[in-house]
Coordinates of all heavy atoms in Angstrom, one line a residue:
V1 N 22.7 -121.5 211.3 CA 22.5 -122.3 212.5 C 21.9 -123.6 212.2 O 22.3 -124.6 212.7 CB 21.7 -121.5 213.5 CG1 21.3 -122.3 214.7 CG2 22.4 -120.2 213.9
Q2 N 20.8 -123.6 211.4 CA 20.2 -124.9 211.0 C 21.1 -125.8 210.3 O 21.1 -127.0 210.5 CB 18.9 -124.6 210.2 CG 17.8 -124.0 210.9 CD 16.6 -123.6 210.0 OE1 16.8 -123.3 208.9 NE2 15.4 -123.7 210.6
Y3 N 22.0 -125.3 209.4 CA 22.9 -126.1 208.7 C 23.9 -126.8 209.6 O 24.2 -128.0 209.5 CB 23.6 -125.3 207.6 CG 24.7 -126.1 206.9 CD1 24.3 -127.1 206.0 CD2 26.0 -126.0 207.1 CE1 25.2 -127.9 205.3 CE2 27.0 -126.7 206.5 CZ 26.5 -127.7 205.5 OH 27.5 -128.4 204.9
A4 N 24.4 -126.0 210.6 CA 25.4 -126.5 211.6 C 24.7 -127.7 212.4 O 25.3 -128.7 212.6 CB 25.9 -125.4 212.5
H5 N 23.5 -127.5 212.8 CA 22.7 -128.5 213.5 C 22.6 -129.7 212.7 O 22.8 -130.9 213.1 CB 21.4 -128.0 214.0 CG 20.6 -129.0 214.7 ND1 19.6 -129.8 214.0 CD2 20.5 -129.4 215.9 CE1 19.1 -130.6 214.8 NE2 19.6 -130.4 216.0
A6 N 22.1 -129.6 211.4 CA 21.9 -130.7 210.5 C 23.2 -131.5 210.3 O 23.2 -132.7 210.3 CB 21.3 -130.2 209.2
R7 N 24.3 -130.7 210.1 CA 25.6 -131.4 209.8 C 26.1 -132.2 211.1 O 26.5 -133.3 210.9 CB 26.6 -130.3 209.5 CG 28.0 -130.8 209.2 CD 28.4 -130.5 207.8 NE 29.6 -131.1 207.5 CZ 30.8 -130.5 207.3 NH1 30.8 -129.2 207.4 NH2 31.9 -131.1 207.1
I8 N 25.9 -131.6 212.2 CA 26.3 -132.3 213.4 C 25.5 -133.6 213.6 O 26.0 -134.6 214.0 CB 26.3 -131.4 214.7 CG1 27.3 -130.3 214.5 CG2 26.4 -132.1 216.0 CD1 27.1 -129.1 215.5
Q9 N 24.2 -133.4 213.4 CA 23.3 -134.6 213.6 C 23.7 -135.7 212.6 O 23.7 -136.9 212.9 CB 21.9 -134.2 213.4 CG 21.3 -133.3 214.6 CD 21.5 -134.0 215.9 OE1 21.1 -135.2 216.1 NE2 21.9 -133.3 216.9
S10 N 24.0 -135.3 211.4 CA 24.4 -136.3 210.3 C 25.7 -137.0 210.7 O 25.8 -138.2 210.6 CB 24.6 -135.6 209.0 OG 25.1 -136.4 208.0
I11 N 26.7 -136.2 211.3 CA 27.9 -136.8 211.7 C 27.7 -137.8 212.8 O 28.2 -139.0 212.8 CB 28.9 -135.8 212.2 CG1 29.4 -135.0 210.9 CG2 30.1 -136.4 212.9 CD1 30.2 -133.7 211.3
L12 N 26.9 -137.4 213.8 CA 26.6 -138.3 214.9 C 25.8 -139.6 214.5 O 26.1 -140.7 214.9 CB 25.8 -137.6 216.0 CG 26.5 -136.5 216.7 CD1 25.6 -135.7 217.7 CD2 27.7 -137.0 217.5
R13 N 24.9 -139.4 213.5 CA 24.1 -140.5 213.0 C 25.0 -141.5 212.3 O 25.0 -142.7 212.5 CB 23.0 -140.1 212.1 CG 22.1 -141.1 211.7 CD 20.9 -140.6 210.8 NE 21.4 -139.9 209.6 CZ 21.3 -138.5 209.5 NH1 20.8 -137.8 210.5 NH2 21.8 -137.9 208.4
K14 N 25.9 -141.0 211.4 CA 26.8 -141.9 210.6 C 27.8 -142.6 211.6 O 28.2 -143.7 211.3 CB 27.6 -141.1 209.6 CG 26.7 -140.6 208.4 CD 27.5 -139.8 207.5 CE 26.6 -139.3 206.4 NZ 27.3 -138.4 205.4
A15 N 28.2 -141.9 212.6 CA 29.2 -142.5 213.5 C 28.5 -143.4 214.5 O 29.2 -144.1 215.3 CB 29.9 -141.4 214.3
E16 N 27.2 -143.5 214.5 CA 26.4 -144.3 215.5 C 26.8 -143.9 216.9 O 27.1 -144.8 217.7 CB 26.5 -145.7 215.2 CG 25.9 -146.1 213.8 CD 26.0 -147.6 213.5 OE1 26.5 -148.4 214.3 OE2 25.6 -148.0 212.4
F17 N 26.9 -142.6 217.2 CA 27.4 -142.1 218.4 C 26.2 -141.8 219.3 O 25.3 -141.0 219.0 CB 28.3 -140.9 218.2 CG 28.7 -140.3 219.5 CD1 29.8 -140.8 220.2 CD2 28.1 -139.1 220.0 CE1 30.3 -140.3 221.3 CE2 28.6 -138.6 221.2 CZ 29.7 -139.1 221.8
T18 N 26.3 -142.3 220.5 CA 25.3 -142.0 221.6 C 26.1 -141.6 222.8 O 26.8 -142.4 223.4 CB 24.4 -143.1 221.9 OG1 23.7 -143.6 220.7 CG2 23.4 -142.7 222.9
P19 N 26.1 -140.3 223.2 CA 26.8 -139.9 224.4 C 26.4 -140.6 225.7 O 25.3 -141.0 225.8 CB 26.6 -138.4 224.5 CG 25.7 -138.0 223.4 CD 25.3 -139.2 222.7
S20 N 27.4 -140.9 226.5 CA 27.1 -141.6 227.8 C 27.8 -140.8 228.9 O 28.9 -140.4 228.8 CB 27.6 -143.0 227.7 OG 27.6 -143.6 228.9
V21 N 27.1 -140.7 230.0 CA 27.7 -140.1 231.2 C 28.8 -141.0 231.8 O 29.6 -140.5 232.6 CB 26.6 -139.8 232.3 CG1 25.7 -138.7 231.8 CG2 25.9 -141.0 232.7
N22 N 28.8 -142.3 231.5 CA 29.8 -143.2 232.0 C 31.1 -143.2 231.2 O 32.0 -143.8 231.6 CB 29.2 -144.6 232.1 CG 28.0 -144.7 233.0 OD1 28.0 -144.0 234.0 ND2 27.0 -145.4 232.6
Q23 N 31.1 -142.6 230.0 CA 32.2 -142.5 229.1 C 33.1 -141.3 229.4 O 32.6 -140.2 229.7 CB 31.7 -142.5 227.7 CG 32.8 -142.5 226.7 CD 33.6 -143.8 226.6 OE1 33.1 -144.8 226.8 NE2 34.9 -143.7 226.2
I24 N 34.4 -141.5 229.3 CA 35.3 -140.4 229.5 C 35.7 -139.9 228.1 O 36.1 -140.7 227.2 CB 36.6 -140.8 230.2 CG1 36.2 -141.2 231.7 CG2 37.6 -139.6 230.3 CD1 37.3 -141.7 232.5
Y25 N 35.5 -138.6 227.8 CA 35.8 -138.0 226.5 C 37.0 -137.0 226.7 O 37.1 -136.4 227.8 CB 34.6 -137.3 226.0 CG 33.4 -138.1 225.8 CD1 32.4 -138.1 226.7 CD2 33.3 -139.0 224.7 CE1 31.3 -138.9 226.6 CE2 32.2 -139.8 224.6 CZ 31.2 -139.8 225.5 OH 30.1 -140.6 225.4
S26 N 37.8 -136.8 225.7 CA 38.9 -135.9 225.8 C 38.9 -135.0 224.6 O 38.7 -135.5 223.5 CB 40.2 -136.6 226.1 OG 40.5 -137.4 225.0
L27 N 39.3 -133.8 224.7 CA 39.5 -132.9 223.6 C 40.9 -132.4 223.6 O 41.5 -132.1 224.7 CB 38.6 -131.7 223.8 CG 37.1 -131.9 223.8 CD1 36.3 -130.7 224.1 CD2 36.6 -132.5 222.5
D28 N 41.5 -132.4 222.4 CA 42.9 -132.0 222.4 C 43.2 -130.8 221.4 O 44.3 -130.5 221.0 CB 43.8 -133.2 221.9 CG 43.4 -133.7 220.6 OD1 42.4 -133.2 220.0 OD2 44.0 -134.6 220.1
D29 N 42.1 -130.0 221.1 CA 42.3 -128.9 220.3 C 41.6 -127.7 220.9 O 40.5 -127.8 221.6 CB 41.8 -129.1 218.9 CG 40.3 -129.5 218.9 OD1 40.0 -130.6 219.3 OD2 39.5 -128.6 218.4
T30 N 42.1 -126.5 220.7 CA 41.6 -125.3 221.3 C 40.2 -124.9 220.7 O 39.4 -124.3 221.4 CB 42.5 -124.1 221.1 OG1 42.8 -123.9 219.7 CG2 43.8 -124.3 221.9
E31 N 40.0 -125.2 219.5 CA 38.7 -124.9 218.9 C 37.5 -125.6 219.6 O 36.5 -125.0 219.9 CB 38.6 -125.2 217.4 CG 39.6 -124.5 216.5 CD 40.9 -125.2 216.4 OE1 41.1 -126.3 216.9 OE2 41.8 -124.6 215.7
S32 N 37.7 -126.8 219.9 CA 36.7 -127.6 220.6 C 36.4 -127.1 222.0 O 35.3 -127.0 222.5 CB 37.0 -129.1 220.7 OG 37.1 -129.6 219.4
W33 N 37.5 -126.6 222.6 CA 37.3 -126.1 224.0 C 36.6 -124.8 223.9 O 35.8 -124.5 224.9 CB 38.7 -125.9 224.7 CG 39.2 -127.2 225.2 CD1 40.2 -127.9 224.8 CD2 38.6 -127.9 226.3 NE1 40.4 -129.0 225.5 CE2 39.4 -129.1 226.5 CE3 37.6 -127.7 227.2 CZ2 39.1 -130.0 227.5 CZ3 37.3 -128.6 228.2 CH2 38.1 -129.7 228.3
E34 N 36.7 -124.0 222.9 CA 35.9 -122.8 222.7 C 34.4 -123.1 222.7 O 33.6 -122.4 223.3 CB 36.3 -122.0 221.5 CG 37.7 -121.4 221.6 CD 37.9 -120.5 222.8 OE1 37.0 -119.6 223.0 OE2 38.9 -120.6 223.5
I35 N 34.0 -124.2 222.0 CA 32.6 -124.6 222.0 C 32.2 -125.1 223.3 O 31.1 -124.8 223.8 CB 32.4 -125.7 220.9 CG1 32.8 -125.1 219.5 CG2 31.0 -126.2 220.9 CD1 32.0 -124.0 219.0
V36 N 33.0 -125.8 224.0 CA 32.7 -126.3 225.4 C 32.4 -125.1 226.3 O 31.5 -125.1 227.1 CB 33.8 -127.2 225.9 CG1 33.6 -127.4 227.4 CG2 33.9 -128.5 225.2
K37 N 33.3 -124.1 226.2 CA 33.1 -122.9 227.0 C 31.7 -122.2 226.7 O 31.0 -121.7 227.6 CB 34.2 -121.9 226.8 CG 35.5 -122.3 227.4 CD 36.6 -121.4 227.0 CE 38.0 -121.9 227.4 NZ 39.1 -121.0 226.9
L38 N 31.4 -122.1 225.4 CA 30.1 -121.6 225.0 C 28.9 -122.4 225.6 O 28.0 -121.8 226.2 CB 29.9 -121.5 223.5 CG 30.7 -120.4 222.8 CD1 30.6 -120.6 221.3 CD2 30.1 -119.0 223.2
I39 N 29.0 -123.7 225.5 CA 28.0 -124.6 226.1 C 27.9 -124.4 227.6 O 26.8 -124.4 228.1 CB 28.2 -126.0 225.7 CG1 28.1 -126.2 224.1 CG2 27.3 -127.0 226.4 CD1 28.6 -127.5 223.6
Q40 N 29.0 -124.3 228.2 CA 29.1 -124.2 229.7 C 28.4 -122.9 230.1 O 27.8 -122.8 231.2 CB 30.5 -124.2 230.2 CG 30.7 -124.2 231.7 CD 32.1 -124.3 232.1 OE1 33.0 -124.0 231.3 NE2 32.3 -124.7 233.3
D41 N 28.5 -121.9 229.3 CA 27.9 -120.6 229.6 C 26.5 -120.4 229.3 O 25.8 -119.5 229.6 CB 28.8 -119.5 228.9 CG 28.6 -118.1 229.5 OD1 28.4 -118.0 230.7 OD2 28.7 -117.1 228.8
F42 N 25.9 -121.4 228.5 CA 24.6 -121.3 228.0 C 23.5 -121.1 229.1 O 22.6 -120.3 228.9 CB 24.3 -122.6 227.2 CG 23.2 -122.3 226.2 CD1 23.4 -121.4 225.1 CD2 22.0 -122.9 226.3 CE1 22.4 -121.2 224.2 CE2 20.9 -122.7 225.4 CZ 21.1 -121.8 224.3
P43 N 23.6 -121.8 230.3 CA 22.5 -121.6 231.3 C 22.5 -120.1 231.7 O 21.4 -119.6 232.0 CB 22.9 -122.5 232.4 CG 23.7 -123.6 231.8 CD 24.4 -123.0 230.6
R44 N 23.7 -119.5 231.9 CA 23.7 -118.1 232.3 C 23.1 -117.2 231.2 O 22.4 -116.3 231.5 CB 25.2 -117.7 232.5 CG 25.3 -116.3 233.1 CD 26.7 -115.8 233.1 NE 27.3 -115.7 231.7 CZ 27.1 -114.8 230.8 NH1 26.3 -113.8 231.1 NH2 27.7 -114.8 229.7
I45 N 23.3 -117.6 229.9 CA 22.8 -116.8 228.8 C 21.2 -116.9 228.8 O 20.5 -115.9 228.6 CB 23.4 -117.3 227.5 CG1 24.9 -116.9 227.4 CG2 22.6 -116.7 226.3 CD1 25.6 -117.6 226.4
I46 N 20.7 -118.1 229.0 CA 19.3 -118.3 229.1 C 18.7 -117.5 230.2 O 17.6 -116.9 230.0 CB 19.0 -119.9 229.3 CG1 19.4 -120.7 228.1 CG2 17.5 -120.1 229.5 CD1 18.7 -120.4 226.8
K47 N 19.3 -117.5 231.4 CA 18.8 -116.8 232.5 C 18.8 -115.3 232.2 O 17.8 -114.6 232.5 CB 19.6 -117.1 233.8 CG 19.1 -116.3 235.0 CD 19.7 -116.8 236.2 CE 19.3 -116.1 237.5 NZ 18.3 -115.1 237.4
R48 N 19.9 -114.8 231.6 CA 19.9 -113.4 231.3 C 18.8 -113.0 230.3 O 18.2 -112.0 230.4 CB 21.3 -113.0 230.7 CG 21.5 -111.5 230.6 CD 22.9 -111.2 230.1 NE 22.9 -111.1 228.6 CZ 23.9 -111.4 227.8 NH1 25.0 -111.7 228.3 NH2 23.8 -111.3 226.5
A49 N 18.6 -113.9 229.3 CA 17.6 -113.6 228.3 C 16.2 -113.6 229.0 O 15.4 -112.7 228.7 CB 17.6 -114.7 227.2
A50 N 16.0 -114.5 229.9 CA 14.7 -114.6 230.6 C 14.5 -113.4 231.5 O 13.4 -112.7 231.6 CB 14.6 -115.9 231.4
D51 N 15.6 -113.0 232.3 CA 15.5 -111.9 233.2 C 15.2 -110.6 232.5 O 14.5 -109.7 233.0 CB 16.8 -111.8 234.0 CG 16.9 -112.9 235.0 OD1 15.9 -113.7 235.3 OD2 18.1 -113.1 235.6
N52 N 15.8 -110.5 231.3 CA 15.6 -109.2 230.5 C 14.5 -109.2 229.5 O 14.3 -108.3 228.8 CB 16.9 -108.9 229.8 CG 18.0 -108.6 230.8 OD1 17.8 -108.0 231.9 ND2 19.2 -109.0 230.5
F53 N 13.8 -110.4 229.5 CA 12.7 -110.6 228.5 C 13.2 -110.3 227.1 O 12.6 -109.6 226.3 CB 11.5 -109.7 228.8 CG 10.9 -109.9 230.1 CD1 11.2 -109.1 231.2 CD2 10.0 -111.0 230.3 CE1 10.6 -109.4 232.4 CE2 9.5 -111.3 231.5 CZ 9.8 -110.5 232.6
E54 N 14.4 -110.9 226.8 CA 15.1 -110.7 225.5 C 15.5 -112.0 224.9 O 16.6 -112.4 225.0 CB 16.3 -109.8 225.6 CG 16.1 -108.3 225.7 CD 17.4 -107.6 225.6 OE1 18.0 -107.6 224.5 OE2 17.8 -107.0 226.6
P55 N 14.6 -112.7 224.2 CA 14.9 -114.0 223.6 C 16.0 -113.9 222.5 O 16.7 -114.8 222.2 CB 13.6 -114.5 223.1 CG 12.7 -113.3 223.0 CD 13.2 -112.4 224.0
S56 N 16.1 -112.7 222.0 CA 17.1 -112.5 221.0 C 18.6 -112.8 221.5 O 19.4 -113.1 220.7 CB 17.1 -111.0 220.4 OG 17.4 -110.1 221.4
I57 N 18.8 -112.7 222.8 CA 20.1 -113.0 223.3 C 20.5 -114.4 223.0 O 21.6 -114.7 222.6 CB 20.1 -112.7 224.8 CG1 20.0 -111.3 225.1 CG2 21.4 -113.3 225.5 CD1 19.8 -110.9 226.6
V58 N 19.5 -115.3 223.1 CA 19.7 -116.8 222.8 C 20.0 -116.9 221.3 O 20.9 -117.6 220.9 CB 18.5 -117.6 223.3 CG1 18.8 -119.1 222.9 CG2 18.3 -117.5 224.7
A59 N 19.2 -116.3 220.5 CA 19.4 -116.3 219.0 C 20.8 -115.8 218.7 O 21.5 -116.4 217.8 CB 18.4 -115.6 218.3
K60 N 21.3 -114.8 219.3 CA 22.6 -114.2 219.0 C 23.7 -115.2 219.3 O 24.6 -115.3 218.5 CB 22.8 -112.9 219.7 CG 22.0 -111.7 219.2 CD 22.2 -110.5 220.0 CE 21.2 -109.4 219.6 NZ 21.3 -108.2 220.5
I61 N 23.6 -115.8 220.5 CA 24.7 -116.7 220.8 C 24.7 -117.9 219.9 O 25.8 -118.4 219.6 CB 24.6 -117.1 222.3 CG1 26.0 -117.7 222.8 CG2 23.5 -118.1 222.6 CD1 27.1 -116.8 222.8
C62 N 23.6 -118.4 219.5 CA 23.5 -119.5 218.5 C 24.1 -119.1 217.2 O 24.9 -119.8 216.6 CB 22.1 -120.0 218.4 SG 21.4 -120.8 219.8
Y63 N 23.8 -117.9 216.8 CA 24.3 -117.4 215.5 C 25.8 -117.2 215.6 O 26.5 -117.5 214.6 CB 23.6 -116.1 215.2 CG 23.9 -115.5 213.8 CD1 23.4 -116.0 212.7 CD2 24.8 -114.4 213.7 CE1 23.8 -115.5 211.4 CE2 25.2 -113.9 212.5 CZ 24.6 -114.5 211.4 OH 25.0 -114.0 210.1
Q64 N 26.3 -116.7 216.7 CA 27.7 -116.5 216.9 C 28.5 -117.8 217.0 O 29.7 -117.8 216.6 CB 28.0 -115.6 218.1 CG 27.5 -114.2 217.9 CD 27.5 -113.4 219.2 OE1 27.7 -114.0 220.3 NE2 27.3 -112.1 219.1
S65 N 27.9 -118.8 217.6 CA 28.6 -120.1 217.7 C 28.6 -120.9 216.5 O 29.5 -121.8 216.3 CB 28.0 -120.9 218.9 OG 26.7 -121.2 218.7
S66 N 27.7 -120.7 215.6 CA 27.6 -121.5 214.4 C 28.8 -121.5 213.5 O 29.3 -122.6 213.1 CB 26.3 -121.1 213.6 OG 26.2 -121.9 212.4
P67 N 29.4 -120.4 213.2 CA 30.7 -120.4 212.5 C 31.8 -121.1 213.1 O 32.6 -121.7 212.5 CB 31.0 -118.9 212.3 CG 29.8 -118.2 212.5 CD 29.0 -119.0 213.5
K68 N 31.8 -121.1 214.5 CA 32.9 -121.8 215.2 C 32.7 -123.3 215.0 O 33.7 -124.0 214.8 CB 32.9 -121.4 216.7 CG 33.2 -120.0 216.9 CD 33.1 -119.6 218.4 CE 33.4 -118.1 218.5 NZ 33.4 -117.6 219.9
L69 N 31.5 -123.7 215.1 CA 31.2 -125.2 214.8 C 31.6 -125.5 213.4 O 32.1 -126.6 213.2 CB 29.7 -125.5 215.1 CG 29.3 -125.5 216.5 CD1 27.8 -125.6 216.6 CD2 29.9 -126.7 217.2
Q70 N 31.2 -124.7 212.5 CA 31.5 -125.0 211.1 C 33.0 -125.1 210.9 O 33.5 -125.9 210.1 CB 31.0 -123.9 210.1 CG 29.5 -123.9 210.0 CD 28.9 -125.1 209.4 OE1 29.6 -125.8 208.7 NE2 27.7 -125.4 209.7
Q71 N 33.8 -124.2 211.5 CA 35.2 -124.2 211.4 C 35.8 -125.6 211.9 O 36.7 -126.2 211.3 CB 35.9 -123.1 212.2 CG 37.4 -123.0 212.2 CD 37.9 -121.9 213.0 OE1 37.2 -121.3 213.8 NE2 39.2 -121.7 212.9
I72 N 35.3 -126.1 213.0 CA 35.7 -127.3 213.6 C 35.4 -128.4 212.6 O 36.2 -129.3 212.3 CB 35.1 -127.6 214.9 CG1 35.7 -126.6 216.0 CG2 35.3 -129.0 215.4 CD1 35.0 -126.7 217.3
L73 N 34.2 -128.4 212.0 CA 33.7 -129.5 211.1 C 34.6 -129.5 209.8 O 34.8 -130.5 209.2 CB 32.3 -129.3 210.8 CG 31.3 -129.5 212.0 CD1 29.9 -129.2 211.6 CD2 31.4 -130.9 212.5
C74 N 35.0 -128.3 209.4 CA 35.8 -128.2 208.2 C 37.3 -128.6 208.4 O 37.9 -129.1 207.5 CB 35.8 -126.8 207.6 SG 34.2 -126.4 206.9
T75 N 37.8 -128.5 209.6 CA 39.2 -128.8 209.8 C 39.5 -130.2 210.4 O 40.6 -130.6 210.4 CB 39.8 -127.8 210.8 OG1 39.1 -127.8 212.1 CG2 39.8 -126.3 210.3
H76 N 38.4 -130.9 210.8 CA 38.6 -132.2 211.3 C 37.9 -133.2 210.3 O 36.9 -132.9 209.7 CB 38.0 -132.4 212.7 CG 38.7 -131.6 213.7 ND1 38.5 -130.2 213.9 CD2 39.7 -131.9 214.6 CE1 39.4 -129.8 214.8 NE2 40.1 -130.8 215.3
T77 N 38.4 -134.4 210.3 CA 37.8 -135.5 209.5 C 36.8 -136.3 210.3 O 37.1 -136.8 211.4 CB 38.9 -136.4 209.0 OG1 39.9 -135.7 208.4 CG2 38.4 -137.5 208.1
Y78 N 35.6 -136.4 209.7 CA 34.5 -137.1 210.4 C 34.0 -138.1 209.3 O 34.1 -137.9 208.1 CB 33.4 -136.2 210.9 CG 33.9 -135.3 212.0 CD1 34.3 -134.0 211.7 CD2 34.0 -135.7 213.3 CE1 34.8 -133.1 212.7 CE2 34.4 -134.9 214.3 CZ 34.8 -133.6 214.0 OH 35.2 -132.8 215.0
P79 N 33.3 -139.1 209.8 CA 32.7 -140.1 208.9 C 31.7 -139.5 207.9 O 31.1 -138.5 208.2 CB 32.0 -141.1 209.8 CG 32.0 -140.6 211.1 CD 32.9 -139.4 211.2

């Protein structure tokens, strides 16, 4: 999980990328959409973890999403 985070931060830093709410972004691959779905579901996961007093739920989803991020990073070319 830490490696995926470090790799993504490195890519964003090298690309000098700063997300903007005024910019329109598009995704054209199914792998990226899977990550978007996970991110979209994150508030529900946080609520479930809080309601059940189980912070491990958050750790599990991060651990499960890390390989998916790594797959995207390995199959796409980034700076």
Side-chain angles (χ1 to χ4, degrees):
V1 173
Q2 287 177 328
Y3 177 73
H5 176 266
R7 181 117 185 253
I8 292 166
Q9 292 302 315
S10 175
I11 290 168
L12 293 174
R13 185 178 56 254
K14 288 178 184 177
E16 297 180 1
F17 177 78
T18 304
S20 169
V21 295
N22 300 321
Q23 179 69 32
I24 297 174
Y25 303 101
S26 63
L27 299 173
D28 58 358
D29 59 287
T30 56
E31 296 91 1
S32 296
W33 280 110
E34 291 303 315
I35 298 299
V36 169
K37 290 176 190 175
L38 283 170
I39 293 169
Q40 185 178 22
D41 199 31
F42 204 67
R44 186 189 62 78
I45 292 166
I46 297 290
K47 181 168 178 10
R48 190 175 91 208
D51 290 347
N52 295 324
F53 300 101
E54 279 190 69
S56 64
I57 293 172
V58 177
K60 286 177 190 173
I61 197 69
C62 291
Y63 185 76
Q64 291 169 351
S65 63
S66 183
K68 293 176 183 180
L69 285 169
Q70 291 296 337
Q71 180 183 11
I72 291 171
L73 295 175
C74 289
T75 57
H76 293 81
T77 304
Y78 297 97

